[in-house]
Amino acid sequence: MRRAPDSTVTRTIAISNQKGGVGKTTTSVNLAAALARAGHPTLLVDLDPQGNASSGLGCARETIAFGIADALLGLEPLGRTIVPTAQPGLDLSPATRSLVGVEVELVGMANREHRLSLALAGLEKHYRYVLLDCPPSLGLITINALTAADSVLVPLQAEYYAMEGLGELIRSIGAVRRSANPRLVREGIVLTMHDARTNLCRDVEAQARAVFGTEVFTTVIPRSVRLAEASSHAKTIFEYEANGRGATAYSALGAELTARVAALRGRSVAAG
Ligand SMILES: Nc1ncnc2c1ncn2[C@@H]1O[C@H](COP(=O)(O)OP(=O)(O)OP(=O)(O)O)[C@@H](O)[C@H]1O
Ligand SMILES: [Mg+2]
C-alpha cells in the first residue's frame, strides 16, 4: 500500500453490467493496470465470487489469507486483505471462495448495503483510483459496490441484445442514488470485444452512441484473443503483449478516463 500525493481525490468506480461475459473483469484488470502504469496508484477490488480478476492477476486462491469477503462481513479490516501485484502501483483485494455465501449472510446484517463503503473508509486516500469488479448480477454485492462508488463504468459487448439489460442497470443506479448514495453518477459506457469489420458491431456502436451520446467512450476495446490469453496466463495485457491492440486500447481508455475525471474535478473546483 502506498500513499498518494495529498492533493489526491480518489475516484471509486464500479465496473458493472448484470449481463455475464461482457468484459467486466478484462476491463477491470487491464484498465487498473493502465492507470497504475500512468502513475496513478490503483486498488482493484474483486467482488465476483468467480475470482477471475484475482486469478487473472496471478493471485491464487490457496495463497490468500484474507479476502474481500472477510472485509464485507467485518471479520478483517479491508487493508489486511490487500496484496501487491506484479504491476507496480496496482494493489488487489482478492476474492475468496467464501464470497459465494456472503450475499446470503449480508441479508441479515445491519448496514447491509454500506458494508463495502464502510470497509473502504480511510483506505481510499492511499489510491487515486479504486476499481470494483462486480459480479454478473444486481444482487447485494453489486448494490454494495454502487453504494461505495462515485461512478459506474458499464462494459457493453457489441452483440445482439447488448442494450437490453441496460435499462435495468440504469434503474438500479437511480435507485441507489436516491437511497444510499446520492453522489453516484454514470462514468460511461465502454464498447468491448468490438470488431469494426462486422455490421453487427457497427450497428450496436451506432445505436449506443445515438442513445447515450458522449457517455460512450471514444475508445473501443477490440476483440483480441490476446486479451483472453493474457488472463489465462495470469498476466495483464501489458505484461503479455505490451505493443498489441489490446494494450493500446486499454492505455487509451485509461487516458480518456483520466481526462474525463480531471475535467470533472476542474469543474467542481471552479464551482466550489
Ligand atoms: N476484448 C476481448 N477480446 C476477446 N476476448 C475477450 C475480450 N474481453 C474479454 N474477453 C473474453 O471473454 C470472456 C468474458 O470476459 P470477462 O470475464 O472479462 O467478462 P465478465 O463480464 O467479467 O464475465 P462475468 O459476467 O462472468 O464476470 C473471457 O473469456 C475473456 O477472456
Ligand atoms: Mg467477471
Side-chain angles (χ1 to χ4, degrees), residues 70-226:
D70 302 293
L72 288 171
L73 295 176
L75 302 174
E76 291 293 334
L78 200 150
R80 282 197 75 188
T81 72
I82 293 175
V83 291
T85 70
Q87 169 61 58
L90 174 57
D91 288 348
L92 170 73
S93 175
T96 41
R97 208 174 300 281
S98 51
L99 196 48
V100 176
V102 161
E103 208 140 76
V104 180
E105 283 192 58
L106 280 179
V107 172
M109 296 180 93
N111 285 326
R112 59 186 183 177
E113 286 135 31
H114 296 268
R115 308 296 299 193
L116 180 62
S117 173
L118 293 168
L120 280 170
L123 264 180
E124 288 166 317
K125 65 177 179 288
H126 299 289
Y127 299 99
R128 191 150 303 188
Y129 288 93
V130 176
L131 302 191
L132 310 172
D133 182 22
C134 292
S137 81
L138 291 171
L140 208 35
I141 288 179
T142 296
I143 299 301
N144 262 270
L146 299 182
T147 302
D150 298 299
S151 67
V152 189
L153 178 65
V154 182
L156 188 74
Q157 187 182 351
E159 54 154 28
Y160 279 118
Y161 310 122
M163 310 259 291
E164 248 188 8
L166 280 187
E168 202 185 337
L169 177 57
I170 287 169
R171 278 193 294 282
S172 293
I173 293 169
V176 170
R177 190 187 297 133
R178 284 190 299 279
S179 56
N181 181 10
R183 74 178 189 284
L184 185 66
V185 295
R186 304 205 299 256
E187 192 75 69
I189 294 171
V190 58
L191 293 159
T192 61
M193 300 185 223
H194 191 268
D195 183 347
R197 293 167 306 184
T198 69
N199 289 336
L200 173 60
C201 269
R202 285 200 299 271
D203 289 352
V204 172
E205 180 173 3
Q207 196 187 355
R209 292 194 192 281
V211 175
F212 293 101
T214 54
E215 256 192 70
V216 183
F217 280 81
T218 308
T219 308
V220 297
I221 307 301
R223 180 172 283 284
S224 157
V225 70
R226 298 288 187 193

Side-chain angles (χ1 to χ4, degrees), residues 17 19-27 48 50 52 133-136 192-194 221-225 227-229 231 250:
N17 185 337
K19 203 167 181 346
V22 297
K24 292 180 289 295
T25 299
T26 306
T27 297
D48 189 343
Q50 298 168 103
N52 294 341
D133 182 22
C134 292
T192 61
M193 300 185 223
H194 191 268
I221 307 301
R223 180 172 283 284
S224 157
V225 70
L227 283 164
E229 284 171 10
S231 55
Y250 276 110

Side-chain angles (χ1 to χ4, degrees), residues 7-15 31 35 40-44 120 124-132 148-153 183-188 217 257-265 267-268:
S7 59
T8 296
V9 182
T10 305
R11 187 112 179 134
T12 300
I13 304 175
I15 302 194
L31 176 60
L35 292 168
H40 307 294
T42 298
L43 172 67
L44 174 55
L120 280 170
E124 288 166 317
K125 65 177 179 288
H126 299 289
Y127 299 99
R128 191 150 303 188
Y129 288 93
V130 176
L131 302 191
L132 310 172
D150 298 299
S151 67
V152 189
L153 178 65
R183 74 178 189 284
L184 185 66
V185 295
R186 304 205 299 256
E187 192 75 69
F217 280 81
L257 173 70
T258 312
R260 282 189 184 200
V261 170
L264 270 180
R265 283 181 186 146
R267 277 207 292 281
S268 60

